[in-house]
Amino acid sequence: DDRFGQPKAFMIFQLLTGELYRSPSDAALAMLYQTCAGDLLNEYTYDARLAGLTYDFQVLPRGARLTFGGYNDKLKEFASYVTSKLARDLNDVLPASEDEFERYQDNL
């Protein structure tokens, strides 16, 4: 960082699998999970983004990628926090009601 003299770092984790795009249905479910997880994480990561920490979660044809960036001193704790939220029970991430599902479905 040129402005504050703080070291910045990036971490990229990639899970390689062909299972996410095995069929159109699997691809749609993977994209639904990505969208729902992003909404869930926005609630928990807003303050961290203001402090210069970032994350990105992507479902790709070859697997899933999780990228973290920001100031080196807090990046490990931030990555651990975000991954713990993603590792929750699948039912905690996916839509809880039919109305919520329809909202996500419209965005796919």
Side-chain angles (χ1 to χ4, degrees):
D1 175 34
D2 295 336
R3 190 170 174 192
F4 298 109
Q6 294 289 333
K8 286 191 173 183
F10 291 92
M11 297 188 301
I12 300 171
F13 300 94
Q14 193 158 335
L15 174 64
L16 298 175
T17 179
E19 299 296 312
L20 297 177
Y21 277 67
R22 183 180 53 206
S23 71
S25 175
D26 289 342
L29 288 172
M31 295 304 295
L32 175 66
Y33 181 81
Q34 175 182 312
T35 303
C36 293
D39 278 358
L40 172 76
L41 290 173
N42 282 337
E43 175 185 346
Y44 296 110
T45 60
Y46 177 77
D47 290 334
R49 277 186 276 141
L50 294 177
L53 297 169
T54 62
Y55 81 94
D56 184 43
F57 175 63
Q58 294 177 307
V59 174
L60 305 166
R62 294 185 57 206
R65 180 184 302 150
L66 193 54
T67 306
F68 299 97
Y71 296 107
N72 199 17
D73 61 334
K74 297 293 181 187
L75 194 58
K76 180 180 173 185
E77 292 86 2
F78 179 62
S80 177
Y81 180 78
V82 169
T83 55
S84 72
K85 294 296 181 191
L86 285 175
R88 296 166 68 176
D89 183 18
L90 188 60
N91 291 328
D92 290 341
V93 177
L94 293 178
S97 69
E98 187 69 31
D99 290 338
E100 190 177 354
F101 177 76
E102 287 178 14
R103 182 175 59 90
Y104 285 117
Q105 188 177 15
D106 290 341
N107 292 330
L108 290 178

Short mmCIF file of all heavy atoms in Angstrom, two decimals, residues 52-93:
data_model
loop_
_atom_site.label_atom_id
_atom_site.label_comp_id
_atom_site.label_asym_id
_atom_site.label_seq_id
_atom_site.Cartn_x
_atom_site.Cartn_y
_atom_site.Cartn_z
N GLY A 52 -10.98 -2.21 4.10
CA GLY A 52 -10.02 -2.57 3.07
C GLY A 52 -9.86 -4.04 2.79
O GLY A 52 -8.94 -4.44 2.07
N LEU A 53 -10.72 -4.88 3.37
CA LEU A 53 -10.66 -6.32 3.11
C LEU A 53 -11.72 -6.70 2.09
O LEU A 53 -12.83 -6.18 2.13
CB LEU A 53 -10.88 -7.12 4.40
CG LEU A 53 -9.84 -6.91 5.49
CD1 LEU A 53 -10.30 -7.53 6.79
CD2 LEU A 53 -8.51 -7.51 5.06
N THR A 54 -11.38 -7.58 1.16
CA THR A 54 -12.33 -7.97 0.12
C THR A 54 -12.37 -9.49 0.00
O THR A 54 -11.44 -10.19 0.41
CB THR A 54 -11.93 -7.39 -1.24
OG1 THR A 54 -10.65 -7.91 -1.62
CG2 THR A 54 -11.89 -5.88 -1.21
N TYR A 55 -13.46 -9.97 -0.59
CA TYR A 55 -13.57 -11.38 -0.93
C TYR A 55 -14.36 -11.49 -2.22
O TYR A 55 -15.09 -10.57 -2.60
CB TYR A 55 -14.26 -12.19 0.18
CG TYR A 55 -15.75 -12.07 0.11
CD1 TYR A 55 -16.51 -13.02 -0.56
CD2 TYR A 55 -16.42 -11.00 0.68
CE1 TYR A 55 -17.89 -12.89 -0.66
CE2 TYR A 55 -17.78 -10.86 0.59
CZ TYR A 55 -18.51 -11.82 -0.09
OH TYR A 55 -19.86 -11.69 -0.21
N ASP A 56 -14.21 -12.61 -2.88
CA ASP A 56 -15.02 -12.90 -4.07
C ASP A 56 -15.25 -14.40 -4.10
O ASP A 56 -14.31 -15.18 -3.90
CB ASP A 56 -14.29 -12.44 -5.34
CG ASP A 56 -15.14 -12.63 -6.58
OD1 ASP A 56 -16.35 -12.31 -6.53
OD2 ASP A 56 -14.60 -13.08 -7.59
N PHE A 57 -16.48 -14.79 -4.31
CA PHE A 57 -16.84 -16.21 -4.41
C PHE A 57 -17.45 -16.43 -5.77
O PHE A 57 -18.41 -15.76 -6.13
CB PHE A 57 -17.83 -16.59 -3.31
CG PHE A 57 -18.33 -18.00 -3.41
CD1 PHE A 57 -17.47 -19.07 -3.30
CD2 PHE A 57 -19.67 -18.25 -3.64
CE1 PHE A 57 -17.94 -20.37 -3.40
CE2 PHE A 57 -20.15 -19.55 -3.75
CZ PHE A 57 -19.27 -20.61 -3.63
N GLN A 58 -16.86 -17.34 -6.55
CA GLN A 58 -17.34 -17.60 -7.89
C GLN A 58 -17.53 -19.09 -8.10
O GLN A 58 -16.69 -19.90 -7.70
CB GLN A 58 -16.34 -17.12 -8.94
CG GLN A 58 -16.12 -15.64 -8.98
CD GLN A 58 -15.06 -15.30 -10.00
OE1 GLN A 58 -13.96 -15.83 -9.96
NE2 GLN A 58 -15.40 -14.42 -10.92
N VAL A 59 -18.63 -19.44 -8.75
CA VAL A 59 -18.85 -20.81 -9.23
C VAL A 59 -18.51 -20.78 -10.71
O VAL A 59 -19.09 -20.00 -11.48
CB VAL A 59 -20.30 -21.25 -9.00
CG1 VAL A 59 -20.55 -22.60 -9.62
CG2 VAL A 59 -20.61 -21.28 -7.51
N LEU A 60 -17.57 -21.60 -11.10
CA LEU A 60 -17.06 -21.63 -12.47
C LEU A 60 -17.26 -23.01 -13.08
O LEU A 60 -17.46 -23.99 -12.33
CB LEU A 60 -15.57 -21.27 -12.46
CG LEU A 60 -15.22 -19.95 -11.79
CD1 LEU A 60 -13.72 -19.86 -11.54
CD2 LEU A 60 -15.70 -18.80 -12.62
N PRO A 61 -17.19 -23.14 -14.39
CA PRO A 61 -17.36 -24.46 -15.02
C PRO A 61 -16.37 -25.52 -14.50
O PRO A 61 -16.70 -26.69 -14.47
CB PRO A 61 -17.14 -24.18 -16.50
CG PRO A 61 -17.54 -22.76 -16.68
CD PRO A 61 -17.13 -22.08 -15.40
N ARG A 62 -15.21 -25.10 -14.05
CA ARG A 62 -14.21 -26.07 -13.57
C ARG A 62 -14.20 -26.20 -12.05
O ARG A 62 -13.35 -26.88 -11.50
CB ARG A 62 -12.83 -25.66 -14.07
CG ARG A 62 -12.73 -25.77 -15.58
CD ARG A 62 -11.35 -25.50 -16.07
NE ARG A 62 -10.40 -26.42 -15.46
CZ ARG A 62 -9.11 -26.14 -15.29
NH1 ARG A 62 -8.63 -24.99 -15.68
NH2 ARG A 62 -8.32 -27.03 -14.73
N GLY A 63 -15.10 -25.51 -11.34
CA GLY A 63 -15.13 -25.62 -9.89
C GLY A 63 -15.56 -24.32 -9.24
O GLY A 63 -16.25 -23.50 -9.82
N ALA A 64 -15.10 -24.13 -8.02
CA ALA A 64 -15.44 -22.93 -7.25
C ALA A 64 -14.15 -22.23 -6.83
O ALA A 64 -13.16 -22.89 -6.52
CB ALA A 64 -16.26 -23.29 -6.02
N ARG A 65 -14.19 -20.90 -6.83
CA ARG A 65 -13.02 -20.11 -6.46
C ARG A 65 -13.40 -19.10 -5.40
O ARG A 65 -14.41 -18.41 -5.50
CB ARG A 65 -12.46 -19.37 -7.67
CG ARG A 65 -11.22 -18.54 -7.34
CD ARG A 65 -10.73 -17.72 -8.51
NE ARG A 65 -10.43 -18.60 -9.63
CZ ARG A 65 -10.54 -18.23 -10.90
NH1 ARG A 65 -10.96 -17.04 -11.22
NH2 ARG A 65 -10.24 -19.07 -11.86
N LEU A 66 -12.55 -19.01 -4.38
CA LEU A 66 -12.74 -18.06 -3.29
C LEU A 66 -11.46 -17.23 -3.21
O LEU A 66 -10.37 -17.78 -3.03
CB LEU A 66 -13.00 -18.81 -1.99
CG LEU A 66 -13.50 -18.07 -0.78
CD1 LEU A 66 -14.76 -17.28 -1.10
CD2 LEU A 66 -13.77 -19.03 0.35
N THR A 67 -11.60 -15.92 -3.37
CA THR A 67 -10.45 -15.02 -3.39
C THR A 67 -10.59 -14.01 -2.25
O THR A 67 -11.67 -13.46 -2.05
CB THR A 67 -10.38 -14.26 -4.73
OG1 THR A 67 -10.38 -15.21 -5.79
CG2 THR A 67 -9.13 -13.41 -4.81
N PHE A 68 -9.50 -13.76 -1.55
CA PHE A 68 -9.46 -12.78 -0.47
C PHE A 68 -8.34 -11.79 -0.75
O PHE A 68 -7.30 -12.15 -1.28
CB PHE A 68 -9.18 -13.46 0.88
CG PHE A 68 -10.22 -14.44 1.28
CD1 PHE A 68 -10.04 -15.79 1.05
CD2 PHE A 68 -11.39 -14.02 1.88
CE1 PHE A 68 -11.01 -16.70 1.40
CE2 PHE A 68 -12.37 -14.93 2.24
CZ PHE A 68 -12.17 -16.27 2.00
N GLY A 69 -8.55 -10.55 -0.36
CA GLY A 69 -7.52 -9.54 -0.52
C GLY A 69 -7.64 -8.48 0.55
O GLY A 69 -8.69 -8.30 1.15
N GLY A 70 -6.53 -7.80 0.78
CA GLY A 70 -6.56 -6.71 1.74
C GLY A 70 -5.29 -6.65 2.56
O GLY A 70 -4.28 -7.23 2.20
N TYR A 71 -5.38 -5.94 3.66
CA TYR A 71 -4.21 -5.75 4.52
C TYR A 71 -3.82 -7.05 5.19
O TYR A 71 -4.63 -7.78 5.73
CB TYR A 71 -4.50 -4.65 5.55
CG TYR A 71 -4.71 -3.32 4.88
CD1 TYR A 71 -5.97 -2.76 4.80
CD2 TYR A 71 -3.65 -2.66 4.27
CE1 TYR A 71 -6.18 -1.55 4.16
CE2 TYR A 71 -3.84 -1.45 3.62
CZ TYR A 71 -5.10 -0.91 3.58
OH TYR A 71 -5.31 0.28 2.94
N ASN A 72 -2.54 -7.31 5.12
CA ASN A 72 -1.96 -8.58 5.53
C ASN A 72 -2.27 -8.97 6.98
O ASN A 72 -2.50 -10.14 7.28
CB ASN A 72 -0.44 -8.49 5.34
CG ASN A 72 0.23 -9.82 5.28
OD1 ASN A 72 -0.40 -10.83 5.07
ND2 ASN A 72 1.53 -9.81 5.44
N ASP A 73 -2.32 -8.02 7.90
CA ASP A 73 -2.44 -8.35 9.32
C ASP A 73 -3.80 -8.94 9.69
O ASP A 73 -3.89 -9.68 10.66
CB ASP A 73 -2.13 -7.14 10.19
CG ASP A 73 -3.07 -5.98 9.96
OD1 ASP A 73 -3.63 -5.87 8.85
OD2 ASP A 73 -3.23 -5.16 10.89
N LYS A 74 -4.85 -8.68 8.95
CA LYS A 74 -6.18 -9.20 9.28
C LYS A 74 -6.73 -10.17 8.25
O LYS A 74 -7.83 -10.69 8.43
CB LYS A 74 -7.18 -8.03 9.44
CG LYS A 74 -6.85 -7.10 10.56
CD LYS A 74 -7.01 -7.80 11.89
CE LYS A 74 -6.70 -6.84 13.02
NZ LYS A 74 -6.68 -7.49 14.31
N LEU A 75 -6.00 -10.44 7.20
CA LEU A 75 -6.52 -11.24 6.10
C LEU A 75 -6.81 -12.68 6.51
O LEU A 75 -7.83 -13.24 6.13
CB LEU A 75 -5.55 -11.20 4.92
CG LEU A 75 -6.09 -11.70 3.60
CD1 LEU A 75 -7.32 -10.92 3.16
CD2 LEU A 75 -5.02 -11.62 2.53
N LYS A 76 -5.96 -13.26 7.31
CA LYS A 76 -6.16 -14.65 7.74
C LYS A 76 -7.45 -14.79 8.55
O LYS A 76 -8.25 -15.70 8.31
CB LYS A 76 -4.96 -15.12 8.56
CG LYS A 76 -5.07 -16.54 9.04
CD LYS A 76 -3.86 -16.93 9.85
CE LYS A 76 -4.06 -18.30 10.48
NZ LYS A 76 -2.95 -18.66 11.37
N GLU A 77 -7.68 -13.89 9.48
CA GLU A 77 -8.89 -13.94 10.30
C GLU A 77 -10.14 -13.71 9.45
O GLU A 77 -11.16 -14.36 9.63
CB GLU A 77 -8.84 -12.92 11.43
CG GLU A 77 -7.81 -13.22 12.49
CD GLU A 77 -6.43 -12.67 12.16
OE1 GLU A 77 -6.26 -12.01 11.09
OE2 GLU A 77 -5.51 -12.91 12.95
N PHE A 78 -10.04 -12.78 8.50
CA PHE A 78 -11.16 -12.50 7.61
C PHE A 78 -11.50 -13.71 6.75
O PHE A 78 -12.66 -14.09 6.63
CB PHE A 78 -10.83 -11.28 6.74
CG PHE A 78 -11.90 -10.91 5.76
CD1 PHE A 78 -13.15 -10.52 6.19
CD2 PHE A 78 -11.66 -10.96 4.40
CE1 PHE A 78 -14.15 -10.16 5.29
CE2 PHE A 78 -12.64 -10.61 3.49
CZ PHE A 78 -13.89 -10.21 3.94
N ALA A 79 -10.49 -14.34 6.18
CA ALA A 79 -10.71 -15.54 5.34
C ALA A 79 -11.32 -16.66 6.17
O ALA A 79 -12.23 -17.36 5.71
CB ALA A 79 -9.40 -15.98 4.71
N SER A 80 -10.86 -16.83 7.38
CA SER A 80 -11.41 -17.86 8.26
C SER A 80 -12.87 -17.58 8.58
O SER A 80 -13.71 -18.49 8.59
CB SER A 80 -10.59 -17.92 9.54
OG SER A 80 -11.12 -18.86 10.43
N TYR A 81 -13.19 -16.34 8.82
CA TYR A 81 -14.56 -15.95 9.14
C TYR A 81 -15.49 -16.21 7.96
O TYR A 81 -16.56 -16.80 8.12
CB TYR A 81 -14.57 -14.47 9.53
CG TYR A 81 -15.93 -13.94 9.89
CD1 TYR A 81 -16.49 -14.21 11.13
CD2 TYR A 81 -16.65 -13.17 8.99
CE1 TYR A 81 -17.74 -13.72 11.46
CE2 TYR A 81 -17.90 -12.68 9.32
CZ TYR A 81 -18.44 -12.96 10.55
OH TYR A 81 -19.68 -12.50 10.88
N VAL A 82 -15.08 -15.78 6.76
CA VAL A 82 -15.92 -15.95 5.58
C VAL A 82 -16.11 -17.44 5.27
O VAL A 82 -17.23 -17.89 4.99
CB VAL A 82 -15.33 -15.20 4.36
CG1 VAL A 82 -16.04 -15.60 3.08
CG2 VAL A 82 -15.42 -13.70 4.59
N THR A 83 -15.05 -18.22 5.33
CA THR A 83 -15.18 -19.65 5.02
C THR A 83 -16.05 -20.36 6.05
O THR A 83 -16.77 -21.29 5.70
CB THR A 83 -13.81 -20.34 4.89
OG1 THR A 83 -13.05 -20.11 6.08
CG2 THR A 83 -13.06 -19.84 3.68
N SER A 84 -16.01 -19.92 7.30
CA SER A 84 -16.88 -20.54 8.30
C SER A 84 -18.35 -20.26 7.99
O SER A 84 -19.21 -21.11 8.22
CB SER A 84 -16.53 -20.08 9.71
OG SER A 84 -16.92 -18.74 9.92
N LYS A 85 -18.64 -19.08 7.45
CA LYS A 85 -20.02 -18.76 7.06
C LYS A 85 -20.45 -19.61 5.86
O LYS A 85 -21.59 -20.05 5.77
CB LYS A 85 -20.16 -17.28 6.73
CG LYS A 85 -19.95 -16.37 7.90
CD LYS A 85 -21.01 -16.58 8.95
CE LYS A 85 -20.83 -15.66 10.11
NZ LYS A 85 -21.69 -16.00 11.25
N LEU A 86 -19.54 -19.83 4.90
CA LEU A 86 -19.86 -20.66 3.74
C LEU A 86 -20.00 -22.13 4.09
O LEU A 86 -20.72 -22.86 3.42
CB LEU A 86 -18.79 -20.50 2.66
CG LEU A 86 -18.83 -19.21 1.87
CD1 LEU A 86 -17.63 -19.14 0.94
CD2 LEU A 86 -20.12 -19.08 1.09
N ALA A 87 -19.31 -22.56 5.13
CA ALA A 87 -19.33 -23.97 5.50
C ALA A 87 -20.54 -24.35 6.35
O ALA A 87 -20.68 -25.51 6.74
CB ALA A 87 -18.05 -24.32 6.26
N ARG A 88 -21.42 -23.40 6.59
CA ARG A 88 -22.62 -23.68 7.37
C ARG A 88 -23.48 -24.71 6.65
O ARG A 88 -23.26 -25.05 5.50
CB ARG A 88 -23.42 -22.40 7.55
CG ARG A 88 -22.71 -21.35 8.33
CD ARG A 88 -23.35 -20.02 8.21
NE ARG A 88 -24.66 -19.98 8.85
CZ ARG A 88 -25.38 -18.88 8.93
NH1 ARG A 88 -24.95 -17.77 8.41
NH2 ARG A 88 -26.55 -18.90 9.52
N ASP A 89 -24.50 -25.14 7.32
CA ASP A 89 -25.48 -26.03 6.73
C ASP A 89 -26.04 -25.40 5.47
O ASP A 89 -26.36 -24.22 5.44
CB ASP A 89 -26.58 -26.30 7.75
CG ASP A 89 -27.62 -27.29 7.25
OD1 ASP A 89 -27.35 -28.02 6.28
OD2 ASP A 89 -28.72 -27.31 7.84
N LEU A 90 -26.18 -26.17 4.42
CA LEU A 90 -26.68 -25.68 3.15
C LEU A 90 -28.03 -24.98 3.29
O LEU A 90 -28.31 -24.00 2.62
CB LEU A 90 -26.78 -26.84 2.15
CG LEU A 90 -27.09 -26.51 0.72
CD1 LEU A 90 -26.04 -25.60 0.12
CD2 LEU A 90 -27.22 -27.77 -0.10
N ASN A 91 -28.86 -25.47 4.18
CA ASN A 91 -30.19 -24.87 4.38
C ASN A 91 -30.10 -23.45 4.95
O ASN A 91 -31.04 -22.68 4.82
CB ASN A 91 -31.04 -25.74 5.29
CG ASN A 91 -31.42 -27.04 4.62
OD1 ASN A 91 -31.59 -27.09 3.41
ND2 ASN A 91 -31.52 -28.11 5.40
N ASP A 92 -28.98 -23.11 5.60
CA ASP A 92 -28.79 -21.75 6.11
C ASP A 92 -28.43 -20.77 5.00
O ASP A 92 -28.57 -19.56 5.17
CB ASP A 92 -27.69 -21.71 7.17
CG ASP A 92 -28.11 -22.41 8.45
OD1 ASP A 92 -29.32 -22.60 8.66
OD2 ASP A 92 -27.23 -22.77 9.24
N VAL A 93 -27.94 -21.27 3.87
CA VAL A 93 -27.50 -20.42 2.77
C VAL A 93 -28.59 -20.27 1.72
O VAL A 93 -28.81 -19.19 1.18
CB VAL A 93 -26.21 -20.98 2.13
CG1 VAL A 93 -25.78 -20.15 0.94
CG2 VAL A 93 -25.09 -21.05 3.16
#
